[in-house]
Amino acid sequence: MPDQNPNRSAYPATFEPSEAFARHLDEQDPLRSYRDRFHLPVGRDGKPLIYFCSHSLGLEPKAVAPLMQEELRKWASLGVKGHFEGESPWYTYQETVRRTAADIVGAKPNEVILMNGLTVNLHLMMATFYRPTPQKHKILVDEPTFPSDLYAVKSQLSYHGFDPANALLTVKPRPGEHIIPAEDIESILKSRGEEIALVLFGGVNFLSGQRFDLQHITVTAHAYGCAVGFDLAHSAGNVMLRLHDWGVDFAAWCNYKYLNCGPGAVAGCFVNEQHGNNPNLGRFAGWWGNNPATRFRMQLDSDFAPQPGADGWQVSNPPILALVPVRASLAIYDEVGVDALRAKSACLTSWLAHLLAENRSARFQVITPANPQERGCQLSLLIHERAREVLAALDENGVVADFREPNIFRVAPVPLYNTFHEVWQFASTLAKVLG
Ligand SMILES: *Cc1c(COP(=O)(O)O)cnc(C)c1O
């Protein structure tokens, strides 16, 4: 998808590899003031660390604490009446957050709901969209697969009486490579699509940082009658998404990585309108998914009457205090807009890629695709030798990155609070550490 973005012009297409140029990029950056909206972890010297770990946990917006105080005061002063009284009553607390969440994933507001955790939402979605038959019961995932997704998918297969050893199909990089070629995804769907009930892919692979063409996967998989869902843990708040237009059946994501909503934050879930409006679709139900008009009925003979839209998959009533950070953080996304964020993010990561390419060390390689359209903000570095020592040295120099055994660093500068100068500092520190 080409980026047609007015904010693009704020960022240059070519770089000079110097500290002065890094400073220049920061001065020109229209989003530079947003860094002040976050608490930045500091090192022993009291200076902010170079925090490139938002692929694991985004930083805390300063707006969270005051908003939390406000809800706590409301609870103290209103008790149960807080559901319907005061500003932003709890009963409709979802409404503002879900609009922003919908913008972030390219959906209509009624296609999105914030609830549970990511893996729980994947299970709820599979309860509806994984409808195996003896002939068509396989699940296709990308490999390496995030452990939680693997446990979830395997347990779904076993629950339905299938052996994961042959019912779980994966598509992975070719031997010696790190990226999954688009034609390999297409060819497994062509050769085995008739056996596959569900395609469940990451939007951006957590390890390699490869961004998949979700529209193409959706269209191809649908041609073989497979349901299609995406785990957007590394995509939401990171890359452009158009879930509605792409015709994706369902998706789920966590809000604590690129969306900065706090550890274990309430997760997001997308159900395509075409399914959301079908009350006959089976699901694991609870009172909060029911039509509010009959939600409280106590008769034994009252049948579950789902609300239209993604709301109909809610089970419990929403955890308001856990939604406070979601509300505080997503308000920033609402203010900045996903286009502006993506424009800066593309430039920030290209700047990182440029500086790493300048460093001609043979001791590491970048395994994430070089094409900005095939990645988000993360670059994954494969360190050929003594990766643990490199990690320790980076840590010593105030860099917070992430290490995956045996030898992969995942580095993610993000547009809301990382600077071009931090990227420059990281690249020069790495060069020093690698010698
Ligand atoms: C982070 C992540 C998860 C985490 O799942 P939770 O249910 O939020 O603990 C799952 N899948 C992927 C791909 C992830 O990156």
Side-chain angles (χ1 to χ4, degrees):
M1 216 189 17
D3 252 323
Q4 284 158 351
N5 196 321
N7 295 296
R8 255 200 172 306
S9 55
Y11 304 99
T14 56
F15 303 114
E16 284 163 37
S18 71
E19 183 167 15
F21 194 73
R23 298 276 189 208
H24 165 76
L25 288 167
D26 283 325
E27 280 156 24
Q28 302 290 312
D29 173 16
L31 304 189
R32 65 182 178 281
S33 66
Y34 285 94
R35 182 172 164 87
D36 290 339
R37 305 272 194 101
F38 292 85
H39 293 289
L40 306 172
V42 295
R44 282 186 292 276
D45 58 3
K47 292 201 192 121
L49 296 167
I50 298 178
Y51 193 84
F52 284 173
C53 230
S54 306
H55 49 49
S56 296
L57 182 68
L59 296 180
E60 179 183 333
K62 290 177 182 168
V64 171
L67 199 60
M68 188 67 87
Q69 282 302 332
E70 194 181 311
E71 291 309 329
L72 289 172
R73 265 198 305 272
K74 224 155 79 184
W75 179 23
S77 61
L78 295 175
V80 72
K81 291 183 177 172
H83 283 298
F84 298 102
E85 290 178 14
E87 228 180 285
S88 53
W90 303 328
Y91 202 71
T92 50
Y93 205 80
Q94 287 270 355
E95 293 312 313
T96 45
V97 274
R98 63 133 46 113
R99 270 200 303 279
T100 311
D103 284 344
I104 288 168
V105 298
K108 297 186 177 181
N110 76 334
E111 290 176 313
V112 167
I113 195 75
L114 295 147
M115 59 182 189
N116 315 310
L118 164 52
T119 313
V120 174
N121 287 344
L122 288 176
H123 275 300
L124 290 177
M125 291 294 100
M126 284 192 275
T128 294
F129 293 100
Y130 177 52
R131 291 302 166 106
T133 65
Q135 296 74 35
K136 193 174 178 67
H137 62 259
K138 297 189 171 153
I139 301 181
L140 176 70
V141 299
D142 57 316
E143 189 182 341
T145 317
F146 194 85
S148 197
D149 301 45
L150 203 54
Y151 300 140
V153 164
K154 284 185 175 177
S155 66
Q156 285 280 341
L157 289 167
S158 308
Y159 175 75
H160 286 277
F162 301 108
D163 180 2
N166 54 53
L168 178 65
L169 303 180
T170 72
V171 53
K172 60 184 176 206
R174 295 174 187 180
E177 295 182 9
H178 303 280
I179 297 309
I180 302 174
E183 63 261 34
D184 289 6
I185 301 172
E186 207 166 304
S187 84
I188 191 165
L189 285 169
K190 277 203 177 114
S191 59
R192 310 199 60 179
E194 304 297 339
E195 308 160 40
I196 297 172
L198 172 67
V199 174
L200 182 63
F201 250 64
V204 171
N205 184 274
F206 76 100
L207 191 66
S208 68
Q210 176 181 13
R211 176 193 181 193
F212 299 111
D213 184 341
L214 303 190
Q215 181 173 28
H216 189 65
I217 292 172
T218 303
V219 170
T220 312
H222 279 170
Y224 296 95
C226 321
V228 182
F230 294 115
D231 179 332
L232 302 177
H234 291 268
S235 310
N238 180 21
V239 297
M240 283 299 186
L241 295 163
R242 294 273 173 270
L243 298 183
H244 176 85
D245 294 345
W246 297 340
V248 174
D249 294 306
F250 71 88
W253 61 95
C254 51
N255 282 313
Y256 52 81
K257 292 173 179 168
Y258 294 116
L259 291 163
N260 308 314
C261 299
V266 180
C269 192
F270 164 88
V271 179
N272 194 296
E273 181 174 65
Q274 120 199 40
H275 306 303
N277 291 338
N278 176 1
N280 300 321
L281 267 186
R283 65 197 78 188
F284 288 168
W287 70 328
W288 229 254
N290 199 85
N291 175 0
T294 55
R295 178 176 283 160
F296 296 89
R297 285 189 59 178
M298 301 292 170
Q299 287 86 341
L300 253 192
D301 64 350
S302 53
D303 284 329
F304 177 70
Q307 301 192 61
D311 295 59
W313 274 264
Q314 291 176 100
V315 179
S316 293
N317 82 100
I320 299 303
L321 297 181
L323 280 170
V324 166
V326 179
R327 185 176 179 134
S329 185
L330 294 196
I332 302 174
Y333 289 80
D334 199 37
E335 186 182 320
V336 182
V338 285
D339 289 347
L341 280 169
R342 185 61 208 141
K344 176 173 174 186
S345 181
C347 184
L348 201 57
T349 297
S350 292
W351 168 239
L352 174 61
H354 179 82
L355 294 177
L356 292 176
E358 286 285 312
N359 176 341
R360 294 179 213 289
S361 166
R363 292 189 58 196
F364 77 97
Q365 85 192 75
V366 177
I367 62 169
T368 307
N371 176 358
Q373 298 295 331
E374 292 171 37
R375 68 185 185 211
C377 63
Q378 172 184 326
L379 293 185
S380 301
L381 280 54
L382 196 154
I383 310 285
H384 294 299
E385 298 156 9
R386 293 180 294 156
R388 285 215 154 271
E389 279 171 47
V390 176
L391 177 75
L394 285 173
D395 183 66
E396 196 58 34
N397 282 279
V399 173
V400 185
D402 164 279
F403 180 65
R404 292 281 144 152
E405 293 287 357
N407 54 6
I408 291 183
F409 282 134
R410 302 182 305 154
V411 184
V414 293
L416 277 177
Y417 44 77
N418 286 126
T419 66
F420 291 90
H421 189 254
E422 285 180 307
V423 169
W424 184 84
Q425 283 176 294
F426 168 79
S428 37
T429 304
L430 184 72
K432 200 172 65 191
V433 164
L434 290 178

